[in-house]
Amino acid sequence: MKQRINYIQIIFHFIASYFIMFSFRTFSWLRDIRLIELSQIHGSQYVMDNHKKLGITLEEIAYFNFWPNIYSLIGIVFALVISIVISKFKKWSVLNSFIVLILIYLLYRYNSLGWDYFRILAIGRFIDDYRLNFIITGSFFLIIGLIIFFSKWTNRLIQNQYQKTT
């Protein structure tokens, strides 16, 4: 196994991990469709002030903030596992996978991943049904991430970088 840092692998695996993490985050909102719809209709402040009248518990509101963060972390771990498996299979350095993990986690932890700008790619936003919106958007992000990970083109670029450094 080559123990070299491969910036091409780091870049592509970071981008793929980014997409996968946001797909998991998008899927997390499927749990809270009712709360999202009520916030859209009445406004989030009204929902917070009148949660009992609307039949929403404070626990549901807390989970609305909690689960997207947990799903994001699960997405990061899922992407790390894929990155390590690909690296082992292709006989690339696993160190690059851990560099990606550290980078994406630090950016996630300090809220610097730019979700507000990334949402532009949310193709489901044109659909009025929130459930379908989140399923389409999450699937789109997941597919893009997996394509980047498993694409022959990206893997060839990474392999060529390894061959240049040896």
Side-chain angles (χ1 to χ4, degrees):
M1 180 185 314
K2 301 170 182 92
Q3 292 297 327
R4 298 194 184 256
I5 293 178
N6 184 325
Y7 67 91
I8 300 293
Q9 180 183 359
I10 292 169
I11 291 169
F12 280 121
H13 284 209
F14 178 85
I15 293 168
S17 297
Y18 191 77
F19 274 98
I20 288 174
M21 183 197 65
F22 280 127
S23 75
F24 276 59
R25 184 177 191 86
T26 303
F27 288 138
S28 75
W29 293 322
L30 288 169
R31 302 181 80 256
D32 301 307
I33 297 294
R34 186 170 155 265
L35 184 59
I36 293 169
E37 287 173 340
L38 287 171
S39 294
Q40 184 68 30
I41 294 167
H42 302 292
S44 57
Q45 189 62 44
Y46 180 84
V47 172
M48 289 295 293
D49 294 340
N50 300 294
H51 62 89
K52 288 182 183 175
K53 184 166 63 168
L54 296 170
I56 297 172
T57 65
L58 289 177
E59 185 179 81
E60 288 177 284
I61 294 170
Y63 282 146
F64 178 73
N65 293 317
F66 174 75
W67 284 113
N69 293 324
I70 297 302
Y71 275 70
S72 296
L73 291 172
I74 293 169
I76 290 171
V77 170
F78 180 73
L80 172 69
V81 169
I82 292 173
S83 180
I84 289 173
V85 168
I86 290 171
S87 296
K88 288 283 194 182
F89 182 74
K90 300 280 188 177
K91 296 183 176 37
W92 298 337
S93 175
V94 178
L95 175 66
N96 296 310
S97 300
F98 286 104
I99 291 171
V100 169
L101 170 70
I102 291 167
L103 285 173
I104 203 159
Y105 178 75
L106 287 175
L107 290 172
Y108 161 78
R109 173 70 178 91
Y110 294 106
N111 204 19
S112 300
L113 284 171
W115 171 247
D116 292 334
Y117 301 109
F118 191 73
R119 280 192 306 195
I120 293 169
L121 298 175
I123 60 171
R125 68 180 174 205
F126 301 112
I127 299 170
D128 290 333
D129 180 19
Y130 284 109
R131 186 173 314 280
L132 191 56
N133 174 340
F134 296 144
I135 290 170
I136 289 172
T137 301
S139 298
F140 175 72
F141 290 160
L142 182 63
I143 289 168
I144 296 296
L146 292 175
I147 286 173
I148 293 170
F149 268 131
F150 294 107
S151 167
K152 288 182 182 180
W153 180 76
T154 58
N155 287 329
R156 196 175 317 120
L157 286 173
I158 295 167
Q159 187 64 40
N160 287 343
Q161 185 64 31
Y162 272 109
Q163 290 172 351
K164 285 181 186 177
T165 60
T166 56

